[in-house]
Amino acid sequence: MVRTAFLALRSPQEQDPSEMIRGLASREEAHLVLVEDAVYNALDPRRAESLKEVAHEIYVAKDDLAAKGFSEADLKAGRVADYEGIVELIMEETERTVTL
Amino acid sequence: MTKTMTIIWRTGSMMAMDPNVATKLASAAVRKGYKVNMFGYGEGITAVKKGQTPKRFPNVGADLEALAKQGVAIALCETCYTARGFQRGEEIEGAKVGSLTNDLFGFVAESDRLITVAR
């Protein structure tokens, strides 16, 4: 088992992270980090469901969510994390980082 | 032993927030006590240009300069730099005009994690 932090940057219209994650890791291995416009993935009910199917943990960058006028209450998947939490996930809780 | 993180960025300073994500990750990692290296190439080299005044946007050049003062090793690809008409000396203090061979490979060799922030 290779625990993997998947870093998604792009909006849901530009990219669906689900397919790449499914091809690279099992659900138990996959931790997804949504930053920048990728945070919108966690606000859309249908996309949120598909992400929950492929990643057992979803982090949504708090700064980037707030910059777009949203908060944790708006999330349909995952939970907010600050950049320290994201670094912790990358450095201590997973073995590799893949940028999508 | 202190763990090391290397961050690569190659998106331009005004193209997307990628360089800002890179600096936010680096800042958080420094605060948590990790050693951090950063390498910029392609359009990413625009982030190290001295004298940026982005007004209402975060100033990624100033953020990188602050990180360099905190001990983050910052290098960028000379080929990409001169290809875009930059001259040595136009980069922020603390950024080294270097190369993939001499700098990035050294960073990667010593790193526990490698993160690319690019699209």
Side-chain angles (χ1 to χ4, degrees):
Chain A
M1 177 141 142
V2 180
R3 294 169 301 172
T4 305
F6 289 96
L7 184 64
L9 311 170
R10 296 186 233 197
S11 72
Q13 290 69 30
E14 287 178 277
Q15 178 188 64
D16 177 357
S18 315
E19 292 320 312
M20 286 262 273
I21 296 171
R22 187 176 280 121
L24 291 169
S26 69
R27 185 175 187 279
E28 288 62 40
E29 291 170 316
H31 304 247
L32 174 58
V33 177
L34 302 173
V35 295
E36 293 190 57
D37 289 347
V39 302
Y40 287 115
N41 281 288
L43 303 173
D44 170 58
R46 218 158 22 136
R47 177 62 59 80
E49 276 317 307
S50 70
L51 292 181
K52 282 191 265 191
E53 284 167 18
V54 296
H56 85 282
E57 187 173 44
I58 300 172
Y59 279 26
V60 184
K62 188 192 303 185
D63 288 4
D64 303 9
L65 193 63
K68 295 169 179 11
F70 293 96
S71 72
E72 186 154 35
D74 301 302
L75 295 183
K76 303 296 187 293
R79 56 190 170 89
V80 294
D82 59 23
Y83 272 84
E84 263 107 338
I86 293 168
V87 165
E88 181 80 13
L89 174 73
I90 289 168
M91 296 302 283
E92 306 298 340
E93 297 165 20
T94 55
E95 280 90 47
R96 66 177 174 170
T97 307
V98 174
T99 300
L100 300 170
Chain B
M1 171 126 157
T2 302
K3 282 189 177 178
T4 300
M5 167 195 280
T6 288
I7 302 171
I8 296 174
W9 87 92
R10 66 160 192 262
T11 313
S13 57
M14 285 290 143
M15 285 170 65
M17 297 296 281
D18 300 358
N20 308 91
V21 167
T23 55
K24 284 196 268 192
L25 282 171
S27 301
V30 166
R31 284 194 298 272
K32 291 178 72 68
Y34 295 113
K35 181 175 185 305
V36 181
N37 305 314
M38 298 182 77
F39 188 85
Y41 72 102
E43 296 304 326
I45 57 97
T46 55
V48 301
K49 176 71 177 63
K50 204 163 30 180
Q52 297 173 52
T53 54
K55 302 272 189 307
R56 287 177 305 283
F57 295 96
N59 187 327
V60 70
D63 293 342
L64 286 167
E65 201 159 16
L67 286 165
K69 287 192 172 92
Q70 294 170 59
V72 171
I74 301 173
L76 49 122
C77 169
E78 178 173 24
T79 305
C80 301
Y81 195 64
T82 55
R84 289 161 176 80
F86 285 94
Q87 312 293 325
R88 278 179 183 268
E90 290 189 85
E91 67 279 3
I92 55 168
E93 199 176 323
K96 175 192 174 190
V97 179
S99 72
L100 275 83
T101 318
N102 298 327
D103 299 284
L104 179 57
F105 291 170
F107 286 168
V108 171
E110 68 170 15
S111 290
D112 297 279
R113 296 292 181 276
L114 174 64
I115 302 156
T116 301
V117 184
R119 61 194 53 220

PDB file of all heavy atoms in Angstrom, chain B residues 13-14 46-62 92:
ATOM      1  N   SER B  13       3.776  34.087 -12.788  1.00  0.00           N
ATOM      2  CA  SER B  13       3.294  34.737 -11.563  1.00  0.00           C
ATOM      3  C   SER B  13       1.874  35.254 -11.711  1.00  0.00           C
ATOM      4  O   SER B  13       1.166  35.394 -10.726  1.00  0.00           O
ATOM      5  CB  SER B  13       4.226  35.892 -11.199  1.00  0.00           C
ATOM      6  OG  SER B  13       4.316  36.805 -12.285  1.00  0.00           O
ATOM      7  N   MET B  14       1.444  35.562 -12.927  1.00  0.00           N
ATOM      8  CA  MET B  14       0.107  36.122 -13.088  1.00  0.00           C
ATOM      9  C   MET B  14      -0.815  35.199 -13.902  1.00  0.00           C
ATOM     10  O   MET B  14      -1.917  35.592 -14.283  1.00  0.00           O
ATOM     11  CB  MET B  14       0.196  37.507 -13.772  1.00  0.00           C
ATOM     12  CG  MET B  14       0.684  38.587 -12.830  1.00  0.00           C
ATOM     13  SD  MET B  14      -0.580  38.950 -11.583  1.00  0.00           S
ATOM     14  CE  MET B  14       0.456  39.241 -10.156  1.00  0.00           C
ATOM     15  N   THR B  46       9.087  34.040 -13.890  1.00  0.00           N
ATOM     16  CA  THR B  46       8.595  35.414 -13.721  1.00  0.00           C
ATOM     17  C   THR B  46       8.322  35.739 -12.249  1.00  0.00           C
ATOM     18  O   THR B  46       8.253  36.893 -11.862  1.00  0.00           O
ATOM     19  CB  THR B  46       7.286  35.594 -14.515  1.00  0.00           C
ATOM     20  OG1 THR B  46       6.352  34.586 -14.095  1.00  0.00           O
ATOM     21  CG2 THR B  46       7.516  35.483 -16.007  1.00  0.00           C
ATOM     22  N   ALA B  47       8.145  34.702 -11.436  1.00  0.00           N
ATOM     23  CA  ALA B  47       7.826  34.929 -10.013  1.00  0.00           C
ATOM     24  C   ALA B  47       9.016  35.481  -9.244  1.00  0.00           C
ATOM     25  O   ALA B  47       8.838  36.040  -8.155  1.00  0.00           O
ATOM     26  CB  ALA B  47       7.364  33.623  -9.369  1.00  0.00           C
ATOM     27  N   VAL B  48      10.241  35.329  -9.784  1.00  0.00           N
ATOM     28  CA  VAL B  48      11.412  35.800  -9.021  1.00  0.00           C
ATOM     29  C   VAL B  48      11.891  37.163  -9.499  1.00  0.00           C
ATOM     30  O   VAL B  48      12.906  37.657  -9.029  1.00  0.00           O
ATOM     31  CB  VAL B  48      12.582  34.787  -9.071  1.00  0.00           C
ATOM     32  CG1 VAL B  48      12.163  33.451  -8.516  1.00  0.00           C
ATOM     33  CG2 VAL B  48      13.169  34.687 -10.469  1.00  0.00           C
ATOM     34  N   LYS B  49      11.173  37.774 -10.420  1.00  0.00           N
ATOM     35  CA  LYS B  49      11.584  39.085 -10.924  1.00  0.00           C
ATOM     36  C   LYS B  49      11.527  40.111  -9.806  1.00  0.00           C
ATOM     37  O   LYS B  49      10.554  40.198  -9.070  1.00  0.00           O
ATOM     38  CB  LYS B  49      10.649  39.515 -12.067  1.00  0.00           C
ATOM     39  CG  LYS B  49      10.892  40.903 -12.618  1.00  0.00           C
ATOM     40  CD  LYS B  49      12.169  41.006 -13.421  1.00  0.00           C
ATOM     41  CE  LYS B  49      12.377  42.366 -14.036  1.00  0.00           C
ATOM     42  NZ  LYS B  49      12.511  43.448 -13.018  1.00  0.00           N
ATOM     43  N   LYS B  50      12.604  40.862  -9.664  1.00  0.00           N
ATOM     44  CA  LYS B  50      12.679  41.933  -8.650  1.00  0.00           C
ATOM     45  C   LYS B  50      11.706  43.059  -9.013  1.00  0.00           C
ATOM     46  O   LYS B  50      11.469  43.318 -10.192  1.00  0.00           O
ATOM     47  CB  LYS B  50      14.110  42.475  -8.652  1.00  0.00           C
ATOM     48  CG  LYS B  50      14.538  43.139  -7.374  1.00  0.00           C
ATOM     49  CD  LYS B  50      16.042  43.309  -7.209  1.00  0.00           C
ATOM     50  CE  LYS B  50      16.882  43.478  -8.421  1.00  0.00           C
ATOM     51  NZ  LYS B  50      18.323  43.640  -8.097  1.00  0.00           N
ATOM     52  N   GLY B  51      11.130  43.709  -8.012  1.00  0.00           N
ATOM     53  CA  GLY B  51      10.357  44.922  -8.253  1.00  0.00           C
ATOM     54  C   GLY B  51       8.926  44.712  -8.698  1.00  0.00           C
ATOM     55  O   GLY B  51       8.304  45.613  -9.259  1.00  0.00           O
ATOM     56  N   GLN B  52       8.356  43.525  -8.457  1.00  0.00           N
ATOM     57  CA  GLN B  52       6.961  43.294  -8.851  1.00  0.00           C
ATOM     58  C   GLN B  52       6.025  44.180  -8.011  1.00  0.00           C
ATOM     59  O   GLN B  52       6.232  44.322  -6.812  1.00  0.00           O
ATOM     60  CB  GLN B  52       6.581  41.815  -8.622  1.00  0.00           C
ATOM     61  CG  GLN B  52       7.374  40.836  -9.470  1.00  0.00           C
ATOM     62  CD  GLN B  52       7.099  39.399  -9.091  1.00  0.00           C
ATOM     63  OE1 GLN B  52       5.947  38.953  -9.023  1.00  0.00           O
ATOM     64  NE2 GLN B  52       8.154  38.656  -8.829  1.00  0.00           N
ATOM     65  N   THR B  53       5.007  44.733  -8.666  1.00  0.00           N
ATOM     66  CA  THR B  53       4.024  45.536  -7.899  1.00  0.00           C
ATOM     67  C   THR B  53       2.626  45.117  -8.332  1.00  0.00           C
ATOM     68  O   THR B  53       1.972  45.838  -9.087  1.00  0.00           O
ATOM     69  CB  THR B  53       4.217  47.035  -8.176  1.00  0.00           C
ATOM     70  OG1 THR B  53       4.175  47.215  -9.610  1.00  0.00           O
ATOM     71  CG2 THR B  53       5.540  47.563  -7.644  1.00  0.00           C
ATOM     72  N   PRO B  54       2.167  43.937  -7.927  1.00  0.00           N
ATOM     73  CA  PRO B  54       0.894  43.394  -8.429  1.00  0.00           C
ATOM     74  C   PRO B  54      -0.339  44.072  -7.831  1.00  0.00           C
ATOM     75  O   PRO B  54      -1.441  43.630  -8.027  1.00  0.00           O
ATOM     76  CB  PRO B  54       0.965  41.929  -8.019  1.00  0.00           C
ATOM     77  CG  PRO B  54       1.841  41.899  -6.823  1.00  0.00           C
ATOM     78  CD  PRO B  54       2.843  42.997  -7.022  1.00  0.00           C
ATOM     79  N   LYS B  55      -0.173  45.171  -7.080  1.00  0.00           N
ATOM     80  CA  LYS B  55      -1.306  45.918  -6.522  1.00  0.00           C
ATOM     81  C   LYS B  55      -2.258  45.024  -5.740  1.00  0.00           C
ATOM     82  O   LYS B  55      -1.962  44.576  -4.663  1.00  0.00           O
ATOM     83  CB  LYS B  55      -2.050  46.662  -7.649  1.00  0.00           C
ATOM     84  CG  LYS B  55      -1.177  47.642  -8.435  1.00  0.00           C
ATOM     85  CD  LYS B  55      -1.130  49.013  -7.813  1.00  0.00           C
ATOM     86  CE  LYS B  55      -0.443  50.074  -8.675  1.00  0.00           C
ATOM     87  NZ  LYS B  55       0.898  49.736  -9.156  1.00  0.00           N
ATOM     88  N   ARG B  56      -3.410  44.634  -6.322  1.00  0.00           N
ATOM     89  CA  ARG B  56      -4.431  43.931  -5.517  1.00  0.00           C
ATOM     90  C   ARG B  56      -4.162  42.427  -5.390  1.00  0.00           C
ATOM     91  O   ARG B  56      -4.906  41.720  -4.727  1.00  0.00           O
ATOM     92  CB  ARG B  56      -5.817  44.144  -6.120  1.00  0.00           C
ATOM     93  CG  ARG B  56      -6.369  45.552  -5.895  1.00  0.00           C
ATOM     94  CD  ARG B  56      -7.702  45.739  -6.563  1.00  0.00           C
ATOM     95  NE  ARG B  56      -7.634  45.418  -7.994  1.00  0.00           N
ATOM     96  CZ  ARG B  56      -7.094  46.251  -8.904  1.00  0.00           C
ATOM     97  NH1 ARG B  56      -6.588  47.403  -8.529  1.00  0.00           N
ATOM     98  NH2 ARG B  56      -7.061  45.932 -10.179  1.00  0.00           N
ATOM     99  N   PHE B  57      -3.096  41.932  -6.035  1.00  0.00           N
ATOM    100  CA  PHE B  57      -2.824  40.491  -5.945  1.00  0.00           C
ATOM    101  C   PHE B  57      -1.701  40.242  -4.958  1.00  0.00           C
ATOM    102  O   PHE B  57      -0.894  41.124  -4.717  1.00  0.00           O
ATOM    103  CB  PHE B  57      -2.429  39.946  -7.323  1.00  0.00           C
ATOM    104  CG  PHE B  57      -3.534  40.017  -8.321  1.00  0.00           C
ATOM    105  CD1 PHE B  57      -3.621  41.081  -9.205  1.00  0.00           C
ATOM    106  CD2 PHE B  57      -4.513  39.038  -8.360  1.00  0.00           C
ATOM    107  CE1 PHE B  57      -4.654  41.158 -10.129  1.00  0.00           C
ATOM    108  CE2 PHE B  57      -5.547  39.120  -9.274  1.00  0.00           C
ATOM    109  CZ  PHE B  57      -5.622  40.171 -10.163  1.00  0.00           C
ATOM    110  N   PRO B  58      -1.620  39.011  -4.423  1.00  0.00           N
ATOM    111  CA  PRO B  58      -0.497  38.710  -3.543  1.00  0.00           C
ATOM    112  C   PRO B  58       0.819  38.894  -4.311  1.00  0.00           C
ATOM    113  O   PRO B  58       0.893  38.571  -5.495  1.00  0.00           O
ATOM    114  CB  PRO B  58      -0.701  37.239  -3.174  1.00  0.00           C
ATOM    115  CG  PRO B  58      -2.095  36.910  -3.528  1.00  0.00           C
ATOM    116  CD  PRO B  58      -2.521  37.842  -4.594  1.00  0.00           C
ATOM    117  N   ASN B  59       1.848  39.395  -3.645  1.00  0.00           N
ATOM    118  CA  ASN B  59       3.141  39.638  -4.305  1.00  0.00           C
ATOM    119  C   ASN B  59       4.025  38.407  -4.121  1.00  0.00           C
ATOM    120  O   ASN B  59       4.696  38.255  -3.096  1.00  0.00           O
ATOM    121  CB  ASN B  59       3.800  40.877  -3.716  1.00  0.00           C
ATOM    122  CG  ASN B  59       5.052  41.266  -4.490  1.00  0.00           C
ATOM    123  OD1 ASN B  59       5.759  40.400  -5.008  1.00  0.00           O
ATOM    124  ND2 ASN B  59       5.320  42.559  -4.579  1.00  0.00           N
ATOM    125  N   VAL B  60       4.031  37.541  -5.092  1.00  0.00           N
ATOM    126  CA  VAL B  60       4.738  36.266  -4.943  1.00  0.00           C
ATOM    127  C   VAL B  60       6.253  36.487  -4.882  1.00  0.00           C
ATOM    128  O   VAL B  60       6.958  35.739  -4.214  1.00  0.00           O
ATOM    129  CB  VAL B  60       4.351  35.294  -6.085  1.00  0.00           C
ATOM    130  CG1 VAL B  60       4.913  35.722  -7.426  1.00  0.00           C
ATOM    131  CG2 VAL B  60       4.775  33.877  -5.735  1.00  0.00           C
ATOM    132  N   GLY B  61       6.745  37.545  -5.530  1.00  0.00           N
ATOM    133  CA  GLY B  61       8.175  37.856  -5.449  1.00  0.00           C
ATOM    134  C   GLY B  61       8.574  38.194  -4.021  1.00  0.00           C
ATOM    135  O   GLY B  61       9.580  37.705  -3.504  1.00  0.00           O
ATOM    136  N   ALA B  62       7.741  38.998  -3.357  1.00  0.00           N
ATOM    137  CA  ALA B  62       8.034  39.360  -1.963  1.00  0.00           C
ATOM    138  C   ALA B  62       7.940  38.130  -1.061  1.00  0.00           C
ATOM    139  O   ALA B  62       8.754  37.949  -0.155  1.00  0.00           O
ATOM    140  CB  ALA B  62       7.047  40.436  -1.495  1.00  0.00           C
ATOM    141  N   ILE B  92      15.091  38.451  -7.442  1.00  0.00           N
ATOM    142  CA  ILE B  92      14.995  38.880  -6.044  1.00  0.00           C
ATOM    143  C   ILE B  92      16.214  38.391  -5.265  1.00  0.00           C
ATOM    144  O   ILE B  92      16.871  37.412  -5.646  1.00  0.00           O
ATOM    145  CB  ILE B  92      13.720  38.307  -5.383  1.00  0.00           C
ATOM    146  CG1 ILE B  92      13.691  36.779  -5.526  1.00  0.00           C
ATOM    147  CG2 ILE B  92      12.465  38.980  -5.922  1.00  0.00           C
ATOM    148  CD1 ILE B  92      12.669  36.084  -4.686  1.00  0.00           C
TER     149      ILE B  92
END
